[in-house]
Amino acid sequence: MLTAWKLQISLLGIFIAALMMEVSIIPSLWAPLRVDFLIGMIIGQIVFIPFSQGFPFVILASLLIEAFSGARVGLLPLLYIAVFLATDFLKEVIYLENVFIQGFLGVFFYVVIAGATAMITGATFLEDMIIPLIAGMAMTGALSPVMAALVGRLQASYGIREP
Amino acid sequence: MGRNNNRIILLICTAALLLVLFSTGQYGATSRGVGLVREGYRVFDKLMSAPFAFVADVWNTYIGLVNTSWENRELRRQNDRLKVRCMALEEVKSENRRLRGMLQFKEAHPELSLIPAALLSQDITLIFKTAIIDKGSTGGFHVEMPVISPDGVVGKVVSVSPRTSQVLLITDPNSAIPAVVASTRVKGIVKGRGGNLLSLEYVRRTENIKAGDSVVTSGLLGAFPEGLTIGSVQEVRRDVNRIFADIVVKPCVEMDKLEGVFGVAHRVEASD
């Protein structure tokens, strides 16, 4: 039980560092660029951590994200929970441990989240958003396996096994 | 013994005399004798000092390099430190320039009660355009408060916490500000398009509006003070089948480079 708490706190610590990268450091380098670190962490949760421990983390992380967005309350948690459930479903269908699949899923979910947000709010993708979107997709795709591996490393260090 | 001594004394005296004889014109051209002595000494000196010079050379060029390498490392480290310091100074210079600009703007608008704030973070999503600033309710910020920068209108506060506020930028699709075209006084609503541009909506296509016209806040609804610069008309498209013109406005504020902003607390009444 204590190990599960330690794992959750460590995950949250990593997520807060990633959040800082997302909202302050990356936009200060190139303002329109948005990179999603959470998707990779969600993939890592599904691959390495039991559902019962991964789900609370995703809820907590998506609620934290909400503080840094103008999206209406509940929209981002809804989208990230959908990503979590979809990845959990895919676990039974495809081999999620493969880094290329993780990268592909990172890109796919990045596009899905951006598209869903745009569709729900009625916004349209304009010309000046296309290049940041592609760059964000590429970076999220590259970072997703890294974040998933990080979750795996944590899981290994705490010795948690899937029941 | 005494005879030998005499001979030696005689020999020395003879040698001294010969030396004197050879030493004519001592301060002019060097005499042969003196020259020979000096040359001899030079050769002697060379021979004696050669081993020492060799050792010194080896020391300076090989063993001494250890010291040079250390010195080189130290100088590189010092150079790196200076480079970082230079960058920090550049940043301070840029911040100083920005703060001066903000101060000048505040002094130029005594009619506005302005509260300065700095940008903390930007929206985590690609679609929404909001920003978090480092002042909240304890700093005098409140919901619906207009936020401006020395260049023009930035947006309005949509939520506050004690020490932070969330600002809805004018480029957000949910943003709408009553505006007026400065030259023609034609009124409309400026809305965000999601990207870096704005739309001026509800303006009839028959109105005389052209690219380059300045768009300012109209002051209607009381949210924003009148006359604050929003942007300039970039393009006007008129479709004969539509009542309103499609007007694209370029904001004066570069939202990507936003750092310092002002919250407009309330209008200060001019006293006579």
Side-chain angles (χ1 to χ4, degrees), chain A:
Chain A
M1 186 65 183
L2 190 66
T3 316
W5 276 106
K6 279 183 187 171
L7 177 76
Q8 288 292 323
I9 291 165
S10 302
L11 283 171
L12 216 58
I14 293 170
F15 177 69
I16 287 167
L19 196 65
M20 199 179 161
M21 289 283 289
E22 277 188 60
V23 299
S24 292
I25 298 168
I26 293 173
S28 71
L29 298 173
W30 186 26
L33 181 63
R34 296 290 178 274
V35 182
D36 201 328
F37 287 76
L38 185 57
I39 295 172
M41 288 188 84
I42 289 175
I43 295 169
Q45 301 276 331
I46 295 293
V47 175
F48 301 108
I49 291 177
F51 186 92
S52 58
Q53 286 180 33
F55 196 64
F57 169 78
V58 175
I59 291 180
L60 198 62
S62 56
L63 285 172
L64 281 175
I65 273 185
E66 220 171 36
F68 297 92
S69 176
R72 72 183 62 172
V73 178
L75 177 62
L76 293 178
L78 176 78
L79 291 172
Y80 282 107
I81 288 167
V83 168
F84 182 75
L85 295 175
T87 316
D88 191 53
F89 169 74
L90 286 172
K91 187 186 181 181
E92 309 300 326
V93 185
I94 53 174
Y95 187 68
L96 278 185
E97 281 82 353
N98 186 298
V99 288
F100 294 104
I101 290 177
Q102 289 174 356
F104 173 76
L105 280 181
V107 173
F108 175 72
F109 285 130
Y110 182 87
V111 176
V112 167
I113 289 173
T117 332
M119 203 174 72
I120 290 166
T121 52
T124 48
F125 283 102
L126 302 163
E127 281 170 23
D128 54 0
M129 293 166 80
I130 298 298
I131 294 170
L133 180 77
I134 293 167
M137 269 163 54
M139 286 189 73
T140 303
L143 277 168
S144 291
V146 177
M147 297 309 287
L150 204 62
V151 174
R153 181 65 66 89
L154 264 183
Q155 179 265 352
S157 64
Y158 285 117
I160 296 169
R161 293 276 178 273
E162 180 84 56

Side-chain angles (χ1 to χ4, degrees), chain B residues 179-188 200 203-204 206-210 213-216 233 238 247:
Chain B
V180 61
V181 178
S183 57
T184 57
R185 308 310 295 171
V186 172
K187 290 183 178 64
L200 179 60
V203 174
R204 283 184 297 178
T206 50
E207 297 287 359
N208 180 27
I209 293 169
K210 57 189 182 303
D213 282 352
S214 179
V215 180
V216 297
V233 174
R238 293 181 171 89
I247 303 166

Side-chain angles (χ1 to χ4, degrees), chain A residues 19 22-24 31-32 34 65 67-71 75-76 114 117-118 121 123 125-126 128-129 133, chain B residues 120-130 132 166 168 172-174 193-197 255-257:
Chain A
L19 196 65
E22 277 188 60
V23 299
S24 292
R34 296 290 178 274
I65 273 185
F68 297 92
S69 176
L75 177 62
L76 293 178
T117 332
T121 52
F125 283 102
L126 302 163
D128 54 0
M129 293 166 80
L133 180 77
Chain B
L120 271 185
S121 72
Q122 299 208 19
D123 200 293
I124 203 160
T125 65
L126 193 71
I127 303 297
F128 297 101
K129 306 283 178 191
T130 63
I132 311 286
Q166 188 175 30
L168 181 75
D172 189 282
N174 296 310
R193 291 163 66 97
N196 289 327
L197 296 171
M255 302 297 173
D256 295 351
K257 294 174 184 167

